[in-house]
Amino acid sequence: MIGRLNHVAIAVPDLDAATATYRDTLGARVSDPLALPEHGVTTVFVELPNTKIELLHPLGETSPVARFLEKSPSGGIHHVCYEVDDIEAAAARLRREGARVLGEVKTGAHGKPVLFLHPKDFCGTLVELEQA
Ligand code: CO
């Protein structure tokens, strides 16, 4: 069911510093920051030849990334995103399999439908599905 790795997301306490690390130290192409208030994050995408890295910084008081950074103040891997062809079919299959689908389908950072899956059902890793 899952296809390509769309991105790995890393929560960062300082978005400018993290962007500079990827752009200047690692020599990667980086996007401008994009605020996503409905997700409680500001993102910068690092474009790699075979996938992307999503730098995540909290936006607003109730950001889930703020809680993540309280536990991991220097940042860390927050989620991985896999592509699926049909997100509603994927959600239905996962619910049938007994996996915990978190909330409903939302529009993600690329303007495409996304869904999150509970880390306890997926090897301790928060999983995002994106309809490619
Ligand atoms: Co993501």
Side-chain angles (χ1 to χ4, degrees):
M1 179 178 73
I2 60 170
R4 290 156 50 94
L5 174 68
N6 185 275
H7 60 268
V8 175
I10 302 176
V12 300
D14 182 333
L15 191 57
D16 289 340
T19 303
T21 295
Y22 270 86
R23 183 188 57 224
D24 302 333
T25 309
L26 294 173
R29 205 148 54 91
V30 300
S31 75
D32 289 330
L34 176 67
L36 297 170
E38 69 275 25
H39 292 278
V41 293
T42 303
T43 65
V44 166
F45 273 92
V46 180
E47 297 284 343
L48 303 179
N50 63 339
T51 191
K52 296 183 279 286
I53 303 297
E54 179 183 55
L55 303 175
L56 288 179
H57 188 71
L59 177 63
E61 316 240 309
T62 58
S63 173
V65 178
R67 292 198 295 276
F68 182 95
L69 287 171
E70 277 168 25
K71 290 182 207 150
S72 304
S74 54
I77 292 179
H78 184 268
H79 65 267
V80 295
C81 177
Y82 303 121
E83 296 179 359
V84 294
D85 291 332
D86 181 336
I87 201 142
E88 295 294 350
R93 173 179 167 156
L94 287 158
R95 288 193 178 101
R96 272 202 312 275
E97 298 283 336
R100 280 164 280 188
V101 175
L102 301 173
E104 297 301 320
V105 174
K106 287 186 185 175
T107 299
H110 309 109
K112 295 184 175 168
V114 301
L115 196 61
F116 285 89
L117 308 177
H118 200 293
K120 284 190 176 152
D121 295 332
F122 296 95
C123 313
T125 304
L126 179 62
V127 172
E128 179 180 19
L129 299 179
E130 181 176 300
Q131 185 169 296

Coordinates of all heavy atoms in Angstrom, one line a residue, residues 44-120:
V44 N 10.2 24.3 6.7 CA 11.1 24.6 5.6 C 11.4 23.2 5.0 O 11.7 22.2 5.7 CB 12.4 25.2 6.1 CG1 13.5 25.2 5.1 CG2 12.2 26.6 6.6
F45 N 11.3 23.1 3.7 CA 11.6 21.9 3.0 C 13.0 21.9 2.4 O 13.5 22.9 1.8 CB 10.6 21.6 1.9 CG 9.4 20.8 2.5 CD1 8.3 21.5 2.9 CD2 9.5 19.4 2.6 CE1 7.2 20.8 3.5 CE2 8.4 18.8 3.2 CZ 7.3 19.5 3.6
V46 N 13.8 20.8 2.7 CA 15.1 20.6 2.2 C 14.9 19.6 1.0 O 14.4 18.5 1.2 CB 16.0 20.0 3.2 CG1 17.4 19.8 2.7 CG2 16.1 20.9 4.5
E47 N 15.3 20.0 -0.2 CA 15.1 19.2 -1.4 C 16.3 18.3 -1.6 O 17.4 18.9 -1.8 CB 14.9 20.1 -2.6 CG 13.6 21.0 -2.5 CD 12.3 20.2 -2.8 OE1 12.4 19.1 -3.4 OE2 11.3 20.7 -2.5
L48 N 16.1 17.0 -1.5 CA 17.2 16.1 -1.8 C 16.9 15.4 -3.1 O 15.7 15.4 -3.5 CB 17.4 15.1 -0.7 CG 17.7 15.7 0.7 CD1 17.8 14.6 1.7 CD2 18.9 16.6 0.7
P49 N 17.9 14.8 -3.8 CA 17.5 14.2 -5.1 C 16.5 13.1 -5.0 O 15.7 12.9 -5.9 CB 18.9 13.6 -5.5 CG 19.9 14.4 -4.8 CD 19.3 14.8 -3.5
N50 N 16.4 12.3 -3.9 CA 15.5 11.2 -3.8 C 14.4 11.4 -2.8 O 13.5 10.6 -2.7 CB 16.2 9.9 -3.5 CG 16.9 9.9 -2.2 OD1 17.2 11.0 -1.6 ND2 17.2 8.8 -1.6
T51 N 14.4 12.4 -2.0 CA 13.3 12.7 -1.0 C 13.5 14.1 -0.5 O 14.2 14.9 -1.0 CB 13.4 11.6 0.1 OG1 12.2 11.7 0.9 CG2 14.6 11.8 1.0
K52 N 12.8 14.4 0.6 CA 12.8 15.7 1.2 C 13.0 15.5 2.7 O 12.6 14.5 3.3 CB 11.5 16.5 0.9 CG 11.3 16.8 -0.5 CD 10.0 17.6 -0.7 CE 8.8 16.8 -0.7 NZ 8.5 16.0 -1.9
I53 N 13.6 16.6 3.3 CA 13.6 16.7 4.8 C 12.7 17.9 5.1 O 12.8 18.9 4.4 CB 15.0 17.0 5.3 CG1 16.0 15.8 4.9 CG2 15.0 17.1 6.8 CD1 15.6 14.5 5.4
E54 N 11.8 17.7 6.1 CA 10.9 18.8 6.5 C 11.3 19.3 7.8 O 11.2 18.5 8.8 CB 9.5 18.2 6.5 CG 8.4 19.1 7.0 CD 7.0 18.4 7.1 OE1 6.9 17.4 7.8 OE2 6.1 18.9 6.4
L55 N 11.8 20.5 7.9 CA 12.2 21.1 9.2 C 10.9 21.7 9.8 O 10.2 22.4 9.1 CB 13.3 22.1 9.0 CG 14.6 21.7 8.3 CD1 15.5 22.8 8.1 CD2 15.2 20.6 9.1
L56 N 10.6 21.3 11.0 CA 9.4 21.7 11.7 C 9.7 22.6 12.9 O 10.5 22.2 13.7 CB 8.6 20.5 12.2 CG 7.9 19.5 11.3 CD1 7.3 18.4 12.1 CD2 6.9 20.2 10.5
H57 N 9.0 23.7 12.9 CA 9.1 24.6 14.1 C 7.7 24.9 14.6 O 6.8 25.1 13.8 CB 9.9 25.8 13.7 CG 10.2 26.7 14.9 ND1 11.2 26.4 15.8 CD2 9.8 27.9 15.3 CE1 11.3 27.3 16.7 NE2 10.4 28.3 16.4
P58 N 7.5 25.0 15.9 CA 6.2 25.2 16.5 C 5.6 26.6 16.0 O 6.4 27.6 15.9 CB 6.4 25.2 18.0 CG 7.7 24.6 18.2 CD 8.5 24.8 17.0
L59 N 4.3 26.6 15.8 CA 3.6 27.8 15.5 C 2.4 27.8 16.3 O 1.5 26.9 16.2 CB 3.2 27.9 14.0 CG 2.4 29.0 13.5 CD1 3.2 30.3 13.6 CD2 2.0 28.8 12.0
G60 N 2.3 28.8 17.2 CA 1.1 28.9 18.1 C 1.3 28.1 19.4 O 2.2 27.3 19.5
E61 N 0.4 28.4 20.3 CA 0.5 27.9 21.7 C 0.2 26.4 21.8 O 0.8 25.7 22.7 CB -0.4 28.6 22.6 CG -0.4 30.1 22.4 CD 0.0 30.9 23.6 OE1 -0.6 30.6 24.7 OE2 0.9 31.7 23.5
T62 N -0.6 25.9 20.9 CA -1.0 24.5 21.1 C -0.3 23.5 20.1 O -0.7 22.4 19.8 CB -2.5 24.3 20.8 OG1 -2.8 24.8 19.5 CG2 -3.3 25.1 21.8
S63 N 0.8 24.0 19.5 CA 1.5 23.2 18.5 C 2.0 21.9 19.1 O 2.6 21.8 20.2 CB 2.7 24.0 18.0 OG 3.5 23.1 17.2
P64 N 1.7 20.8 18.4 CA 2.2 19.5 18.9 C 3.7 19.4 18.9 O 4.4 18.6 19.6 CB 1.6 18.5 17.9 CG 1.2 19.3 16.7 CD 0.9 20.7 17.2
V65 N 4.3 20.2 18.0 CA 5.8 20.2 17.9 C 6.4 20.9 19.2 O 7.5 20.6 19.6 CB 6.3 20.9 16.6 CG1 7.8 21.0 16.5 CG2 5.7 20.2 15.4
A66 N 5.7 21.8 19.8 CA 6.2 22.5 21.0 C 6.3 21.4 22.1 O 7.3 21.4 22.9 CB 5.2 23.6 21.5
R67 N 5.3 20.5 22.2 CA 5.4 19.5 23.2 C 6.6 18.5 22.9 O 7.3 18.0 23.8 CB 4.1 18.7 23.3 CG 3.0 19.5 23.9 CD 1.8 18.6 24.3 NE 1.2 17.9 23.2 CZ 0.3 18.4 22.4 NH1 -0.2 19.7 22.6 NH2 -0.2 17.7 21.4
F68 N 6.8 18.2 21.7 CA 7.9 17.3 21.3 C 9.2 18.0 21.7 O 10.1 17.3 22.2 CB 7.8 17.2 19.7 CG 8.9 16.3 19.2 CD1 8.6 14.9 19.0 CD2 10.2 16.7 18.9 CE1 9.6 14.1 18.5 CE2 11.2 15.9 18.4 CZ 10.9 14.6 18.2
L69 N 9.3 19.3 21.5 CA 10.6 20.0 21.8 C 10.8 20.1 23.3 O 12.0 20.2 23.7 CB 10.7 21.3 21.1 CG 10.9 21.3 19.6 CD1 10.7 22.7 19.0 CD2 12.3 20.7 19.2
E70 N 9.7 20.1 24.1 CA 9.9 20.1 25.5 C 10.6 18.8 26.0 O 11.5 18.9 26.9 CB 8.5 20.2 26.2 CG 8.0 21.6 26.3 CD 6.5 21.6 26.8 OE1 6.1 20.6 27.4 OE2 5.9 22.6 26.4
K71 N 10.3 17.7 25.3 CA 11.0 16.4 25.7 C 12.3 16.3 25.0 O 13.2 15.6 25.5 CB 10.1 15.3 25.2 CG 8.8 15.1 26.0 CD 8.0 13.9 25.6 CE 6.5 14.1 25.9 NZ 5.7 13.4 24.9
S72 N 12.5 16.9 23.8 CA 13.8 16.8 23.1 C 14.2 18.2 22.7 O 14.0 18.6 21.5 CB 13.6 15.9 21.8 OG 13.1 14.7 22.1
P73 N 14.8 18.9 23.6 CA 15.0 20.4 23.4 C 16.0 20.7 22.2 O 15.9 21.7 21.6 CB 15.7 20.8 24.7 CG 15.3 19.8 25.7 CD 15.2 18.5 25.0
S74 N 16.8 19.7 21.9 CA 17.7 20.0 20.8 C 17.2 19.6 19.4 O 17.8 19.7 18.4 CB 19.1 19.4 21.0 OG 19.0 18.0 21.3
G75 N 15.9 19.1 19.5 CA 15.3 18.6 18.2 C 15.4 17.2 18.0 O 16.0 16.4 18.8
G76 N 14.8 16.7 16.9 CA 14.9 15.2 16.6 C 13.9 14.9 15.6 O 13.1 15.7 15.1
I77 N 14.0 13.6 15.1 CA 13.1 13.1 14.1 C 11.6 13.1 14.6 O 11.4 12.5 15.7 CB 13.5 11.7 13.5 CG1 14.8 11.9 12.8 CG2 12.4 11.2 12.6 CD1 15.4 10.6 12.2
H78 N 10.7 13.7 14.0 CA 9.3 13.8 14.4 C 8.4 12.9 13.8 O 7.5 12.3 14.4 CB 8.9 15.3 14.2 CG 7.5 15.6 14.7 ND1 6.4 15.5 14.0 CD2 7.1 16.0 15.9 CE1 5.3 15.8 14.7 NE2 5.8 16.2 15.9
H79 N 8.5 12.7 12.4 CA 7.7 11.7 11.7 C 8.3 11.4 10.4 O 9.2 12.1 9.9 CB 6.3 12.2 11.5 CG 6.1 13.4 10.7 ND1 6.0 14.7 11.2 CD2 5.9 13.6 9.3 CE1 5.8 15.6 10.2 NE2 5.8 14.9 9.1
V80 N 7.8 10.3 9.8 CA 8.2 9.9 8.4 C 6.9 10.0 7.6 O 5.8 9.7 8.1 CB 8.9 8.6 8.3 CG1 10.2 8.6 9.0 CG2 8.0 7.5 8.9
C81 N 7.0 10.3 6.3 CA 5.9 10.5 5.5 C 6.0 9.6 4.3 O 6.9 9.7 3.5 CB 5.7 11.9 5.0 SG 4.3 12.1 3.9
Y82 N 5.0 8.6 4.1 CA 5.0 7.7 3.0 C 3.8 8.1 2.1 O 2.8 8.6 2.5 CB 4.7 6.3 3.5 CG 5.7 5.8 4.5 CD1 5.3 5.4 5.8 CD2 7.1 5.7 4.2 CE1 6.2 4.9 6.7 CE2 8.0 5.3 5.1 CZ 7.6 4.9 6.3 OH 8.5 4.4 7.3
E83 N 4.1 7.9 0.8 CA 3.0 8.2 -0.2 C 2.1 7.1 -0.4 O 2.5 5.9 -0.3 CB 3.7 8.6 -1.6 CG 4.5 9.8 -1.5 CD 5.2 10.2 -2.8 OE1 5.1 9.4 -3.8 OE2 5.9 11.2 -2.8
V84 N 0.8 7.4 -0.6 CA -0.2 6.4 -0.9 C -1.0 7.0 -2.1 O -1.1 8.2 -2.4 CB -1.2 6.1 0.2 CG1 -0.5 5.4 1.4 CG2 -1.9 7.4 0.7
D85 N -1.6 6.1 -2.9 CA -2.4 6.5 -4.1 C -3.7 7.1 -3.7 O -4.2 8.0 -4.3 CB -2.6 5.3 -5.0 CG -1.3 4.8 -5.7 OD1 -0.4 5.7 -5.8 OD2 -1.2 3.6 -6.0
D86 N -4.4 6.5 -2.7 CA -5.7 6.9 -2.3 C -5.8 6.9 -0.8 O -5.8 5.9 -0.1 CB -6.7 5.8 -2.9 CG -8.2 6.1 -2.6 OD1 -8.4 6.9 -1.6 OD2 -9.0 5.6 -3.3
I87 N -5.9 8.1 -0.2 CA -5.8 8.3 1.2 C -7.0 7.8 1.9 O -6.9 7.2 3.0 CB -5.4 9.7 1.6 CG1 -4.8 9.8 3.0 CG2 -6.6 10.7 1.5 CD1 -3.7 10.8 3.2
E88 N -8.2 7.9 1.3 CA -9.4 7.4 2.0 C -9.4 5.9 2.0 O -9.8 5.3 3.0 CB -10.7 8.0 1.3 CG -10.8 9.5 1.3 CD -11.1 10.0 2.8 OE1 -11.3 9.2 3.7 OE2 -11.0 11.3 2.9
A89 N -8.9 5.3 1.0 CA -8.9 3.8 0.9 C -7.8 3.4 2.0 O -8.0 2.4 2.7 CB -8.5 3.3 -0.5
A90 N -6.7 4.1 2.1 CA -5.7 3.7 3.0 C -6.2 3.9 4.5 O -6.0 3.0 5.3 CB -4.4 4.6 2.8
A91 N -6.9 4.9 4.7 CA -7.5 5.1 6.1 C -8.5 4.0 6.4 O -8.5 3.5 7.5 CB -8.2 6.5 6.2
A92 N -9.3 3.6 5.5 CA -10.3 2.6 5.7 C -9.6 1.3 6.0 O -9.9 0.5 6.9 CB -11.2 2.4 4.5
R93 N -8.5 1.0 5.2 CA -7.8 -0.3 5.4 C -7.1 -0.3 6.8 O -7.2 -1.3 7.5 CB -6.8 -0.4 4.3 CG -5.8 -1.6 4.5 CD -4.8 -1.7 3.4 NE -3.7 -2.6 3.7 CZ -3.0 -3.2 2.8 NH1 -3.2 -3.1 1.5 NH2 -2.0 -4.0 3.2
L94 N -6.5 0.8 7.2 CA -5.8 0.9 8.4 C -6.8 0.7 9.6 O -6.5 0.0 10.6 CB -5.0 2.2 8.5 CG -3.8 2.2 7.6 CD1 -3.4 3.6 7.3 CD2 -2.7 1.4 8.3
R95 N -8.0 1.3 9.5 CA -9.0 1.2 10.6 C -9.4 -0.2 10.7 O -9.6 -0.8 11.8 CB -10.2 2.1 10.3 CG -9.8 3.6 10.5 CD -11.0 4.5 10.6 NE -10.7 5.9 10.9 CZ -10.6 6.8 9.9 NH1 -10.9 6.6 8.7 NH2 -10.3 8.1 10.3
R96 N -9.6 -0.9 9.5 CA -10.0 -2.3 9.5 C -8.9 -3.2 10.2 O -9.2 -4.1 10.9 CB -10.2 -2.8 8.1 CG -11.5 -2.6 7.5 CD -11.8 -3.6 6.3 NE -10.7 -3.6 5.3 CZ -10.6 -2.8 4.3 NH1 -11.5 -1.8 4.2 NH2 -9.6 -2.9 3.5
E97 N -7.6 -2.8 10.0 CA -6.5 -3.5 10.5 C -6.3 -3.2 12.0 O -5.5 -3.8 12.7 CB -5.2 -3.2 9.8 CG -5.2 -3.6 8.3 CD -5.0 -5.0 8.1 OE1 -4.4 -5.7 9.0 OE2 -5.4 -5.5 7.0
G98 N -7.1 -2.3 12.5 CA -7.0 -1.9 14.0 C -6.0 -0.9 14.3 O -5.7 -0.6 15.5
A99 N -5.4 -0.2 13.3 CA -4.5 0.8 13.6 C -5.2 2.1 14.0 O -6.3 2.3 13.6 CB -3.6 1.1 12.3
R100 N -4.5 2.9 14.8 CA -5.1 4.2 15.2 C -4.8 5.3 14.2 O -3.7 5.7 14.1 CB -4.6 4.5 16.6 CG -5.3 3.8 17.7 CD -4.6 3.9 19.0 NE -3.5 2.9 19.1 CZ -2.8 2.7 20.2 NH1 -3.0 3.3 21.3 NH2 -1.8 1.8 20.1
V101 N -5.8 5.7 13.5 CA -5.7 6.8 12.6 C -6.0 8.1 13.4 O -7.1 8.2 14.1 CB -6.7 6.7 11.4 CG1 -6.6 7.9 10.5 CG2 -6.4 5.4 10.7
L102 N -5.1 9.1 13.4 CA -5.3 10.3 14.2 C -6.1 11.3 13.5 O -5.6 11.9 12.5 CB -3.9 10.8 14.6 CG -3.0 9.8 15.4 CD1 -1.6 10.4 15.6 CD2 -3.6 9.5 16.8
G103 N -7.3 11.6 14.0 CA -8.1 12.6 13.4 C -8.5 12.3 12.0 O -8.6 11.1 11.6
E104 N -8.8 13.3 11.2 CA -9.3 13.2 9.8 C -8.3 13.6 8.8 O -7.2 14.1 9.2 CB -10.6 14.0 9.7 CG -11.7 13.6 10.6 CD -12.2 12.2 10.4 OE1 -12.2 11.7 9.3 OE2 -12.4 11.5 11.4
V105 N -8.6 13.3 7.6 CA -7.7 13.8 6.5 C -7.6 15.3 6.5 O -8.7 16.0 6.6 CB -8.2 13.3 5.1 CG1 -7.4 13.8 4.0 CG2 -8.2 11.7 5.1
K106 N -6.4 15.9 6.4 CA -6.2 17.3 6.3 C -5.4 17.6 5.1 O -4.9 16.7 4.4 CB -5.4 17.8 7.5 CG -6.2 17.9 8.8 CD -5.3 18.5 9.9 CE -6.0 18.5 11.3 NZ -5.1 19.0 12.3
T107 N -5.3 18.9 4.8 CA -4.4 19.3 3.7 C -3.0 19.6 4.2 O -2.9 20.4 5.2 CB -5.0 20.6 3.0 OG1 -6.3 20.3 2.5 CG2 -4.1 21.0 1.8
G108 N -2.0 18.9 3.7 CA -0.7 19.1 4.2 C 0.1 20.2 3.6 O -0.4 21.0 2.8
A109 N 1.4 20.1 3.8 CA 2.3 21.2 3.4 C 2.4 21.4 1.9 O 2.8 22.4 1.4 CB 3.7 21.0 4.0
H110 N 2.1 20.3 1.2 CA 2.2 20.4 -0.3 C 0.8 20.6 -0.9 O 0.7 20.4 -2.1 CB 2.8 19.1 -0.9 CG 4.1 18.7 -0.2 ND1 4.2 17.7 0.6 CD2 5.3 19.3 -0.3 CE1 5.4 17.6 1.1 NE2 6.1 18.6 0.6
G111 N -0.2 21.0 -0.1 CA -1.5 21.1 -0.7 C -2.2 19.8 -1.0 O -3.2 19.8 -1.7
K112 N -1.7 18.7 -0.5 CA -2.2 17.4 -0.8 C -2.8 16.8 0.5 O -2.4 17.2 1.6 CB -1.2 16.5 -1.3 CG -0.6 17.0 -2.7 CD 0.3 16.0 -3.3 CE 0.7 16.5 -4.7 NZ 1.9 15.7 -5.2
P113 N -3.8 15.8 0.4 CA -4.4 15.3 1.5 C -3.4 14.4 2.4 O -2.6 13.6 1.8 CB -5.5 14.3 1.0 CG -5.6 14.7 -0.5 CD -4.3 15.3 -0.9
V114 N -3.4 14.6 3.7 CA -2.5 13.9 4.6 C -3.3 13.4 5.8 O -4.3 13.9 6.1 CB -1.3 14.8 5.1 CG1 -0.5 15.3 3.9 CG2 -1.8 15.9 6.0
L115 N -2.7 12.4 6.4 CA -3.3 11.7 7.5 C -2.1 11.2 8.4 O -1.1 10.8 7.9 CB -4.0 10.5 7.0 CG -5.1 9.8 7.9 CD1 -6.2 10.8 8.3 CD2 -5.7 8.6 7.1
F116 N -2.3 11.2 9.8 CA -1.3 10.8 10.7 C -1.8 9.5 11.4 O -2.9 9.3 11.7 CB -1.0 11.9 11.7 CG -0.1 13.0 11.1 CD1 -0.7 14.1 10.5 CD2 1.3 12.9 11.1 CE1 0.0 15.1 9.9 CE2 2.0 13.9 10.5 CZ 1.4 15.0 10.0
L117 N -0.8 8.6 11.7 CA -1.0 7.3 12.3 C -0.3 7.3 13.7 O 0.8 7.8 13.8 CB -0.6 6.2 11.4 CG -1.1 6.3 10.0 CD1 -0.5 5.1 9.2 CD2 -2.6 6.2 10.0
H118 N -0.9 6.6 14.6 CA -0.4 6.6 16.0 C 1.0 5.9 16.1 O 1.1 4.8 15.6 CB -1.3 6.0 16.9 CG -1.1 6.3 18.4 ND1 0.0 5.9 19.1 CD2 -1.9 7.1 19.2 CE1 -0.1 6.4 20.3 NE2 -1.2 7.1 20.4
P119 N 2.0 6.5 16.7 CA 3.3 5.9 16.8 C 3.3 4.6 17.5 O 4.1 3.7 17.1 CB 4.2 6.9 17.6 CG 3.3 8.1 17.9 CD 1.9 7.9 17.3
K120 N 2.4 4.3 18.4 CA 2.4 3.1 19.2 C 2.0 1.9 18.2 O 2.3 0.8 18.5 CB 1.4 3.1 20.3 CG 2.0 3.9 21.5 CD 1.3 3.8 22.8 CE 2.0 4.6 23.9 NZ 1.1 5.1 24.9

